[in-house]
Every structure is written in C-alpha cells, then in structure tokens.
Amino acid sequence: MLLKTADDKSKRLTLLEDLQRSTLLDAFQKKWLREELMRLRKGIQGEKDSAYYLDQYFKHGVNHVVLHDLRFVVDGDVAQIDHLVINRGFGIYLFETKNYSGNLVINDHGEFTAQYDDMHFGIPSPIEQSQRHARILTRLLKNLDIGNRIGGEMKFFHVVLLHPKAIIQRPAPKSFDSTNVIKADQFPSWHQKFVDREGTFGETLKLMANLRGLDTIQDWAKKLVRQHRPADLLELPDFMQPKPISVASAVGAREVQRDESSPAPLQPKIAAVPSVVDLDQMVATEPLCPRCGKVMVQRVAKRGAVPGKPFWGCTGYSSGCRGTREAQGTNTPS
C-alpha cells in the first residue's frame, strides 16, 4: 500500500536553471551549479525509477506500507531516506537509490567506486549511509512509541537500488556481502530470496509474535509522514554569493570613483554583496522575479498610467506569473 509519494522538486530545478543565466557568477560557482543540476536531475530520475518498481510490487499487497522521499530531523541529525517500506512482521526496509548507468565496483573492504568510460571516482558507501539513517530513525521511532512487542528495537533491512543498466562488479561473498546491492528491476526476485532466507523457524516465531495489523502499520506510517521535514528548495550554500568583482562588472562605470588629487588608477567602489536570491537589490542586467524567482526581462508599457515607460517583466508570464519591477529605483511587485 502506497502512503507517500516523492516531493515535487520542480522549484529547485527552476531556481538552478534560472541561475545559470546570471552574469554575476564566477567560474567556480558556475561549475558547482552545473554539477548540482546534474546530481538533482539524476537523483530525481533514479528515485522515480526505483519507486516505479517498488510500487508495482507492493501496491496490491496487504502486508506492507510504502513511503517515498522522507527527511527526518532528530536532535539536529538529519536522515534523508529515498524509500521506506514497513512490513507487518519483519520490520522496516530502507532503500538507497543510486542512479549509476555505468559500472559500480565494490572491493573486498566494502568500498564503492563508480566508473564511466575512463573516469573512476570513489563514492560514499550507500550501505553505511543507510545504516546511519537507521540509527537516527531508531530514535524517532522510540519518540513516536513505534516498536516490536518482543525482541527489542525494530529491525532494519538495507537495500541499495541501482539503475537497471548498471554493471556491478562484486567481491567474493566471504570478503564482503553485497547481496543487498541490486538493480532496481530485480527487486521482486531479491525479495523472494529475502523471505526464504529470513523465514527460519526462529525468525518465523518472532515474526508471528510481532505481527501487526495493516491498520497499525498504516498508523505508524502516518506518524512518520507527519515528521517529514522537507529541505528548503530555494536554499543555496554560502559560497554561491556573487563575488565582488562580478558585482563591479555588473554595476559598470557608474560605481567607479576617482580621486582627482591622485594619479592612481581608477578603483571600483564595491558595495556589500547581497544574497544570490535577492539580486533585485543590485543594478544588474537580470533581476529575479519577486514572486516566483525566475529571471526577468525588460519590457515597455503599452498602456496603463505611463505608456512607453520601461519595466522589468517575469519570463514566467506565459505560465501565469505577473511579477514586475520598475526599471529603476526601489521596486515592489505589482
């Protein structure tokens, strides 16, 4: 049973795409922007693909509740969980999605490396990441009075879902167990093996003792959804502030002051640098819309109180945004 879908991240995509057009960013900021957009797009697509296979498998079931895209904050610690499935008896599955369409190499020490053609780079262990999330989630479950009848804390099962076209190079099972690192489309067969493996006599007795009704795990899931704390989609790191040299370039000669008593070369007068999401406070060529945050373009009023007067209009006008700014002076949205 599906109880929560992934959050809509279109505002984040729009912000990053619009910022690419800014003339106020340096080379480092532009590089970060390109990489952040790539990570975001691949992450969204990977979570979407994995959610498809999980939903298809569990949507008609009566033993599981499925939640996608959860973010919990417990005592200042953050757990960002791609997919969470509550089972009526076994416990909780935590799924980490990694959208690698190249090769994934796992060595004997459980270290992960992604390969694309001639490029090789190490990546954090998604299994360790999922286990950190489980430790935070354990504290949250205790706060919400969610747990087993017997056997101590809720049991977690960690699964890493990869792109169906990924190639996985695994170590020997005795060196490192990579059983739970699978391609997303292989989840049904993995789950059947999991049930067979966990279905020992002792585990079956414990399962029967902890078995809960569907209504109960639905209530648990709803409690968890209420604890979901989405990230701020418009938040940017501090280093994405415009650089003073960029501001001086945008402002132009009007900000250049010369000391006539000195033959020293002209020096730009640099004002305090505002936030990159508040570019409208600068004399810049591309202010952002005060309503939706999109880049604005200069237009000329055809009618109204002052026809022929220039003003800034939102590029999202065709999508319904009517945000405007005066071409000069202190601006407020109309």
Side-chain angles (χ1 to χ4, degrees):
M1 175 177 290
L2 176 62
L3 240 172
K4 182 187 181 299
T5 59
D7 293 349
D8 180 10
K9 298 180 178 66
S10 59
K11 286 185 178 180
R12 180 71 173 179
L13 277 172
T14 300
L15 171 67
L16 298 181
E17 289 167 351
D18 286 346
L19 280 175
Q20 285 191 311
R21 305 188 189 99
S22 175
T23 59
L24 302 173
L25 302 179
D26 62 21
F28 175 79
Q29 292 169 320
K30 291 178 180 178
K31 180 177 181 292
W32 178 86
L33 205 52
R34 288 193 301 270
E35 294 176 350
E36 181 69 7
L37 260 173
M38 182 182 70
R39 285 192 293 267
L40 181 60
R41 287 168 176 159
K42 289 177 71 69
I44 290 174
Q45 188 60 49
E47 291 177 16
K48 182 178 178 180
D49 292 342
S50 296
Y52 170 79
Y53 293 110
L54 294 175
D55 292 347
Q56 289 296 309
Y57 187 74
F58 287 125
K59 68 179 181 179
H60 297 305
V62 294
N63 293 316
H64 302 83
V65 174
V66 182
L67 305 171
H68 299 301
D69 191 14
L70 293 165
R71 182 177 182 271
F72 301 124
V73 181
V74 183
D75 300 327
D77 296 324
V78 178
Q80 180 74 55
I81 300 172
D82 295 335
H83 315 278
L84 182 151
V85 177
I86 306 176
N87 179 274
R88 288 179 57 204
F90 279 123
I92 294 177
Y93 305 89
L94 296 180
F95 296 90
E96 282 293 321
T97 297
K98 300 301 175 185
N99 194 26
Y100 302 123
S101 55
N103 294 352
L104 181 71
V105 180
I106 310 172
N107 67 16
D108 292 341
H109 302 288
E111 298 167 341
F112 288 70
T113 301
Q115 297 181 349
Y116 294 93
D117 298 325
D118 295 332
M119 296 177 58
H120 300 67
F121 51 93
I123 60 174
S125 168
I127 295 176
E128 293 292 335
Q129 182 180 9
S130 185
Q131 290 173 344
R132 287 194 295 271
H133 293 165
R135 291 192 287 271
I136 297 173
L137 185 54
T138 296
R139 286 146 53 192
L140 179 60
L141 295 179
K142 185 176 180 180
N143 293 340
L144 298 176
D145 196 25
I146 296 175
N148 292 324
R149 290 192 176 99
I150 65 169
E153 296 177 346
M154 187 77 73
K155 193 170 184 179
F156 294 98
F157 303 96
H158 306 277
V159 187
V160 180
L161 299 177
L162 301 176
H163 192 283
K165 293 184 179 180
I167 298 175
I168 308 172
Q169 297 182 30
R170 305 175 185 272
K174 290 183 179 179
S175 300
F176 181 79
D177 184 8
S178 63
T179 305
N180 293 359
V181 180
I182 62 174
K183 299 182 182 183
D185 60 337
Q186 294 179 321
F187 175 74
S189 58
W190 175 90
H191 188 253
Q192 185 58 56
K193 293 177 182 178
F194 165 81
V195 172
D196 294 341
R197 186 172 64 249
E198 293 292 323
T200 62
F201 179 73
E203 289 298 324
T204 300
L205 288 179
K206 187 184 297 184
L207 183 152
M208 296 303 296
N210 287 318
L211 193 65
R212 302 282 188 157
L214 182 59
D215 289 344
T216 298
I217 63 172
Q218 283 179 340
D219 289 341
W220 289 355
K222 291 175 183 177
K223 285 183 179 181
L224 289 174
V225 171
R226 287 194 290 269
Q227 295 299 314
H228 174 51
R229 300 293 182 266
D232 183 356
L233 298 179
L234 302 182
E235 183 179 12
L236 293 169
D238 290 341
F239 62 77
M240 283 302 292
Q241 300 287 338
K243 300 299 181 184
I245 185 64
S246 298
V247 177
S249 176
V251 171
R254 283 178 297 173
E255 291 294 330
V256 177
Q257 291 187 343
R258 181 187 177 99
D259 183 355
E260 297 182 356
S261 64
S262 171
L266 300 178
Q267 297 293 329
K269 178 184 177 182
I270 306 301
V273 181
S275 168
V276 79
V277 294
D278 194 24
L279 300 179
D280 56 289
Q281 299 302 312
M282 297 183 197
V283 182
T285 57
E286 295 176 338
L288 300 184
C289 177
R291 290 192 173 182
C292 68
K294 288 188 176 181
V295 172
M296 306 188 83
V297 295
Q298 196 167 85
R299 308 180 191 278
V300 177
K302 296 181 180 180
R303 52 183 175 271
V306 190
K309 181 180 179 180
F311 70 97
W312 291 103
C314 181
T315 54
Y317 182 86
S318 59
S319 301
C321 182
R322 298 296 183 265
T324 62
R325 293 186 181 280
E326 294 180 5
Q328 297 178 348
T330 304
N331 306 314
T332 56
S334 63

